[in-house]
Amino acid sequence: MNTATHAPVHPLLAKLVSRVVTIRPGETRALLWSFAYFFCLLAGYYVLRPVRDEMGLAGGVKNLPWLFTATFFVMLAVVPIYGALVAGLPRQKFIPVVYHFFVANIVLFWVLLTQGIALTLTAQVFFVWISVFNLFAVSVFWSFMADLYDAERGKRLFGFIAAGGSAGALLGPLIATNLAVPIGRANLLIIAALLLEGAVFCAMRLESAAASFKSEGQTTTQKPPEQALGGSWIAGLMMIARSPYLAGIATWVALLSLAGTFLYFQQAEIVRALSDDPNKRTAIFAQIDLAVSLLTLVVQFLATGKLIKRFGAGPAAAFLPLVFAIGFVALWATPMLWVVIAFQAAQRAANFAISNPAREVLFTVVDREEKYKAKNVIDNVVFRGSDALFGWLFTALRGLGMEAGAISLATVPLTAAWLALALALGRMQEKRSPAAADDKS
């Protein structure tokens, strides 16, 4: 075994980390590799994201619902393949396979874009592909985290781990903002591919660091990570259908998609009107991502772990619908560009910094097969299916003559139901946690 992997963590680094997150003996190495893994993953994605957003506008805002629909159907086709990988390969093998496959895709898109091959079609396919890539790559990451850390550790550590992603999400837009015009958007793809390979390296180091990392809440019935999960690819759907808890999480995700899609379409309309230059539009989207990442990173380092540990996963997950409710009221009252940008920054920061880590804590109390199979269906099929449905709904409402402000106001009651669902899921998670079981015994 590589002894370098198990070299002691530098005391100064350990001390710095302990100032922002509560760490117990044996957790530091795995925590830092988790942080680095998510950093590389989201840095790569956020180099690609502004390229995707610009390509989505290249075909016109009116075509976005078609792209969302295509994404959903591609997701339906890919989920069985992913399910077969999860069923047939142990964790140490299927995680690198997934990421190496996406790197190969990025290189192919780079060739098509630099050679000018079918640019319009390539742009549309790239938009769909990156929407699939984002959810699969991040879903695999959080499934891994929920597999390694129990509920108690998740509440303490997921905020810091998520901050690794936010730091990467800060670097990615900085790269895209400064290099989109000088080197061209196509060459950003090579940088993203290198970052994704860095994520694979960190994932493998994390596997080694976690070999002696025992989760106190892990049950003895869980299959060890070196064994494949087995079962059918469709098992994830059946798990959601049988479990009110998983179905509740799926509904939470669908409501997130509704609110986010409505806001995204309004943003797209506004940015489309600002410039016809694809490189400049790429830089605009990167600047928005940069502002979001800065705000998110500050909140995650200073508050996320403390908030989730103090109030629980449910109230933390409920924070996002509250932000959306306030934001949609603001859009109804003042449907202007600066409001949309501020709203986008606030909701994404609330999501990445607080509510998303809290939602991932919800998965720490389900078994391993549910973490990889049911979670993947929720994160990918449910989310992208909802994107497609609500994209067409937004288009239909606009077609009927509804203004953005009126659509925003009509969404507010749904955010109230979303908030109530988050609180209910938090109570269910507490009942399922090992600590609750110990109290009853």
Side-chain angles (χ1 to χ4, degrees), residues 149-418:
Y149 301 95
D150 61 21
E152 188 278 330
R153 279 179 170 141
K155 290 177 181 178
R156 282 189 294 109
L157 305 179
F158 278 7
F160 181 83
I161 293 171
S166 295
L170 181 61
L171 175 64
L174 279 172
I175 292 172
T177 297
N178 290 286
L179 297 182
V181 175
I183 70 173
R185 62 182 184 179
N187 290 316
L188 294 174
L189 273 63
I190 295 300
I191 298 174
L194 293 174
L195 288 166
L196 193 56
E197 283 297 329
V200 176
F201 175 82
C202 293
M204 295 301 94
R205 301 288 76 74
L206 176 57
E207 281 283 7
S208 180
S212 59
F213 181 78
K214 297 185 182 299
S215 184
E216 296 167 358
Q218 186 174 354
T219 64
T220 57
T221 59
Q222 297 274 30
K223 293 182 180 180
E226 63 272 12
Q227 291 186 11
L229 291 175
S232 167
W233 67 266
I234 204 171
L237 290 172
M238 302 305 297
M239 292 170 186
I240 296 169
R242 291 193 300 261
S243 169
Y245 183 66
L246 292 173
I249 299 176
T251 304
W252 192 98
V253 168
L255 290 170
L256 168 62
S257 171
L258 182 148
T261 298
F262 279 14
L263 181 56
Y264 181 82
F265 273 58
Q266 294 183 47
Q267 173 188 281
E269 290 178 349
I270 292 170
V271 175
R272 173 73 176 179
L274 291 178
S275 174
D276 293 326
D277 185 334
N279 290 325
K280 288 183 179 179
R281 290 197 305 237
T282 299
I284 289 171
F285 283 120
Q287 289 164 7
I288 294 173
D289 289 340
L290 181 60
V292 171
S293 299
L294 281 169
L295 180 58
T296 303
L297 191 60
V298 171
V299 175
Q300 282 172 328
F301 272 128
L302 298 180
T304 301
K306 297 180 180 66
L307 287 173
I308 297 177
K309 185 178 179 181
R310 171 67 178 83
F311 297 105
F319 183 66
L320 181 59
L322 178 62
V323 170
F324 266 107
I326 295 171
F328 279 125
V329 170
L331 271 182
W332 165 72
T334 312
M336 297 176 64
L337 172 61
W338 69 269
V339 176
V340 173
I341 294 175
F343 184 7
Q344 188 72 279
Q347 70 86 8
R348 285 171 60 188
N351 185 20
F352 300 144
I354 299 174
S355 290
N356 188 63
R359 178 166 64 93
E360 301 305 338
V361 170
L362 298 177
F363 285 102
T364 61
V365 294
V366 302
D367 66 35
R368 169 171 287 170
E369 192 170 6
E370 289 173 329
K371 288 171 184 174
Y372 286 99
K373 294 183 179 180
K375 186 180 189 307
N376 184 259
V377 171
I378 292 170
D379 288 349
N380 297 300
V381 177
V382 172
F383 192 76
R384 286 311 181 202
S386 300
D387 279 353
L389 173 63
F390 298 130
W392 285 112
L393 177 59
F394 181 90
T395 301
L397 293 174
R398 293 292 273 160
L400 292 172
M402 287 188 70
E403 296 296 328
I407 295 175
S408 297
L409 188 61
T411 309
V412 173
L414 292 174
T415 63
W418 183 17

Side-chain angles (χ1 to χ4, degrees), residues 67-140:
L67 295 176
F68 277 44
T69 302
T71 300
F72 171 61
F73 282 107
V74 171
M75 196 72 73
L76 285 179
V78 172
V79 162
I81 300 173
Y82 173 82
L85 282 174
V86 172
L89 294 176
R91 187 179 70 198
Q92 297 97 319
K93 291 185 178 179
F94 78 73
I95 288 179
V97 165
V98 169
Y99 290 131
H100 287 319
F101 172 75
F102 283 128
V103 169
N105 293 170
I106 292 172
V107 172
L108 176 59
F109 279 118
W110 175 77
V111 171
L112 294 173
L113 290 172
T114 54
Q115 297 302 312
I117 301 172
L119 289 179
T120 300
L121 179 60
T122 298
Q124 293 170 341
V125 173
F126 183 80
F127 184 96
V128 172
W129 173 85
I130 199 171
S131 300
V132 174
F133 156 74
N134 174 38
L135 287 186
F136 264 102
V138 175
S139 179
V140 168

